[in-house]
Amino acid sequence: MNAPQLVERVRGGDRRALARAITLVENGAEELRPIMAGLAPHTGRAHVVGFTGSPGVGKSTTTNAVVRAARAQGRSVAVLAVDPSSPFTGGALLGDRVRMQEHSADPEVYIRSMANRGHLGGLSWATPHALRVLDAAGFDVILVETVGVGQSEVDIASQADTTVVLSAPGMGDAVQAAKAGVLEVGDVFAINKADRDGAKSTLRELRQMIAMKDRTDQEWKPPIVMTVASRDEGVGELWERVEQHFAHLEASGELTERRRARARGEVEAIVLELLRARLGGVGADGGLDTLAREVAAGDRDPYTAADLLLKELGADPIP
Amino acid sequence: MNAPQLVERVRGGDRRALARAITLVENGAEELRPIMAGLAPHTGRAHVVGFTGSPGVGKSTTTNAVVRAARAQGRSVAVLAVDPSSPFTGGALLGDRVRMQEHSADPEVYIRSMANRGHLGGLSWATPHALRVLDAAGFDVILVETVGVGQSEVDIASQADTTVVLSAPGMGDAVQAAKAGVLEVGDVFAINKADRDGAKSTLRELRQMIAMKDRTDQEWKPPIVMTVASRDEGVGELWERVEQHFAHLEASGELTERRRARARGEVEAIVLELLRARLGGVGADGGLDTLAREVAAGDRDPYTAADLLLKELGADPIP
């Protein structure tokens, strides 16, 4: 299957073609270039919703319930679960996606885990590429879920139109979320496991922290929804809020802004990746390995080493 | 205070000079270049120990107890607490460092929080720069602690000589650690709060996961230590294991390898940062903003946009 054929089949929603395209993204394959170029004119339709939150808040369960809510409204849904890969576990820990098998017979639902092999900047181009594939395949909604908290969780907000931040009672999650910097990227907040002790104080705490940010009357006020995703409680409301946020983005022109920022990040990531691929390959004398050896020994400082590498790359001198 | 003066005072361990140098690192200031160059010949002495683990496992408490253990052996200690910054909370959440005040009267202990303002690649050069400052200041041991899990927690391993992975019973932490990819970067494991229910099963689980990785007889076998850091239990043993690991690194030559890899990453990060700073500034026609607009509209694919930017940068064409 050559690139134009793959592009055609992806556009037709062919499952095998989708799987193959995302595997190429995972592997950072050479063939990506013509495929991404071919898919580009057919993108921009899907509503991309990111899910973020600490381990244990019920991200997979919530994503699963949201798939149900979106399907109930007739939307086709793709789920992209981004996992950092681990030589220890490989795909084994993706077992929690198994519960997603509920939807496996539904032709309007596509679920895919993707390893993110620690490219520089983490999600920087792998996730946008995968979103491009699913978008061009015609899904109405793409849900992106990542594992863990920290930078990758904040990064996901730059990839999504709407970011849902999940927390749960009694894990000190509101505070931890603030530490990880995810509070300011949340468009919709959900407190899952809301039948547990402490849900009210988590709500209070979260409400206070969200109110700390100044917003004009025109700006979106992030709502907080209480859910028990395992029993489907509150998930309908959560989905409604997500759709309201999308309508707000469209009406305010912010959607265009966000998508331009996303494209900017994607292009930047590709430029840096192309340059980076060449850093190791530059001439023996100024080669990165030799320079790193000298820097490690204290014989050269890292900035002089960087200057030498840039010269080898043929880039114009930094003004 | 000019750069050579600052370098001299940092080398003398002057607290105000240290604080100033790390603030410059935080802000990505222009003046870093001569300072880092001046400090470079005086680095390579300190043993850098990274602490990683999910929120709630007791990282700050453990770090604090480890400071005590290292001080008991007469080592001078610097602690670098790396926090992602948040416009919501600023430095307010650093309150948990307050307990570190135990050591505030000790001239051989220096504790510093550093915001990590989401430079591309997260820790990529800010942390190595701060380590360079503390190393040149003559501390025997530098403990690095970050907030959150995820990529930044894995990244810290590339900055440290020895990486300690913390977990605690009953949080599903072993599994979560595996998801976040931190298991394979751990040199020493600690199960903190080991007086709680489930400590034994956490130990069993962790032991199994560590054993999954093939190791030769010459390779280091990561030990697991049970601790109750709040009561100082097990912390002496933890510190002993950390020192054994360092001795192993020195004896096997792996220390040199790790430090070269660290220098390599630092130089690479500087090169990319220098190039990145110029991406936004390139000519109006091929400017990143214009290109991003076209890519977002589907009028141009991201690779063609990247090619145009590279041309503007004056870099040799990618072969």
Side-chain angles (χ1 to χ4, degrees), chain A residues 177-200:
Chain A
K179 283 196 184 184
V182 298
L183 265 188
E184 67 255 38
V185 301
D187 300 307
V188 177
F189 289 83
I191 299 174
N192 193 33
K193 307 184 183 181
D195 54 343
R196 293 205 181 164
D197 284 350
K200 276 190 185 163

Side-chain angles (χ1 to χ4, degrees), chain A residues 91-130:
Chain A
L93 282 168
L94 301 180
D96 57 354
R97 315 286 174 219
V98 168
R99 81 188 79 153
M100 289 271 191
Q101 284 185 347
E102 171 186 342
H103 307 288
S104 65
D106 184 342
E108 299 291 304
V109 176
Y110 179 76
I111 294 165
R112 168 71 191 234
S113 290
M114 184 175 73
N116 188 7
R117 299 208 166 74
H119 303 288
L120 185 84
L123 296 170
S124 52
W125 61 257
T127 302
H129 275 23

Side-chain angles (χ1 to χ4, degrees), chain B residues 52-318:
Chain B
T52 174
S54 302
V57 297
K59 244 183 305 187
S60 298
T61 314
T62 305
T63 311
N64 193 29
V66 167
V67 171
R68 231 176 282 135
R71 288 297 299 130
Q73 299 195 344
R75 309 297 186 87
S76 62
V77 184
V79 178
L80 183 70
V82 183
D83 276 82
S85 69
S86 160
F88 270 95
T89 58
L93 282 169
L94 302 181
D96 55 355
R97 316 285 174 221
V98 168
R99 83 188 76 152
M100 289 270 191
Q101 285 184 348
E102 170 186 342
H103 307 289
S104 65
D106 184 342
E108 300 291 303
V109 176
Y110 179 77
I111 295 167
R112 167 72 191 234
S113 289
M114 184 175 73
N116 187 7
R117 298 209 167 74
H119 304 289
L120 186 85
L123 295 170
S124 51
W125 60 259
T127 302
H129 276 22
L131 293 175
R132 198 171 277 281
V133 171
L134 297 168
D135 187 354
F139 290 101
D140 298 320
V141 175
I142 307 174
L143 309 179
V144 192
E145 183 199 332
T146 76
V147 167
V149 291
Q151 196 54 41
S152 70
E153 292 291 307
V154 177
D155 288 346
I156 206 170
S158 65
Q159 313 293 349
D161 299 320
T162 302
T163 300
V164 179
V165 176
L166 302 176
S167 51
M171 295 176 60
D173 269 286
V175 174
Q176 296 297 350
K179 282 197 184 186
V182 297
L183 265 189
E184 67 254 38
V185 302
D187 300 307
V188 177
F189 289 83
I191 298 174
N192 193 32
K193 307 183 183 181
D195 54 344
R196 293 206 182 164
D197 284 351
K200 277 192 184 160
S201 68
T202 302
L203 175 64
R204 211 164 30 234
E205 197 185 349
L206 199 54
R207 206 174 259 155
Q208 278 170 6
M209 300 191 91
I210 293 171
M212 281 168 75
K213 189 170 168 180
D214 288 330
R215 290 182 182 83
T216 65
D217 284 350
Q218 282 71 45
E219 276 182 284
W220 174 258
K221 312 276 177 301
I224 307 175
V225 184
M226 309 293 272
T227 59
V228 185
S230 60
R231 293 201 305 258
D232 251 347
E233 288 172 27
V235 177
E237 191 195 340
L238 173 58
W239 180 243
E240 207 176 296
R241 299 296 183 200
V242 168
E243 295 216 299
Q244 280 168 3
H245 178 254
F246 193 65
H248 165 85
L249 288 179
E250 283 185 312
S252 64
E254 218 186 308
L255 185 65
T256 309
E257 285 310 310
R258 285 194 182 200
R259 289 185 169 180
R260 279 180 191 166
R262 203 198 296 173
R264 190 187 158 106
E266 189 181 10
V267 173
E268 207 173 68
I270 293 170
V271 169
L272 294 178
E273 184 76 16
L274 291 172
L275 284 168
R276 190 169 188 251
R278 305 175 65 209
L279 285 181
V282 291
D285 272 350
L288 181 51
D289 278 331
T290 312
L291 288 168
R293 194 165 299 197
E294 293 169 4
V295 170
D299 296 337
R300 191 186 290 281
D301 75 90
Y303 282 91
T304 315
D307 287 342
L308 285 170
L309 269 178
L310 278 170
K311 218 171 134 192
E312 292 275 336
L313 277 173
D316 296 339
I318 306 294

Side-chain angles (χ1 to χ4, degrees), chain A residues 33 149 184 209 264 289 307, chain B residues 33 87-88 149 264 289:
Chain A
R33 184 180 271 263
V149 290
E184 67 255 38
M209 301 193 91
R264 190 186 158 106
D289 278 331
D307 288 342
Chain B
R33 184 181 271 263
F88 270 95
V149 291
R264 190 187 158 106
D289 278 331

Side-chain angles (χ1 to χ4, degrees), chain A residues 127-189:
Chain A
T127 302
H129 275 23
L131 293 175
R132 199 171 275 282
V133 170
L134 297 168
D135 187 354
F139 289 102
D140 298 320
V141 175
I142 307 174
L143 309 179
V144 192
E145 184 200 331
T146 74
V147 169
V149 290
Q151 196 53 41
S152 70
E153 292 291 308
V154 177
D155 288 346
I156 206 171
S158 65
Q159 312 294 348
D161 299 319
T162 302
T163 301
V164 179
V165 175
L166 302 176
S167 50
M171 296 177 60
D173 269 286
V175 173
Q176 297 296 352
K179 283 196 184 184
V182 298
L183 265 188
E184 67 255 38
V185 301
D187 300 307
V188 177
F189 289 83

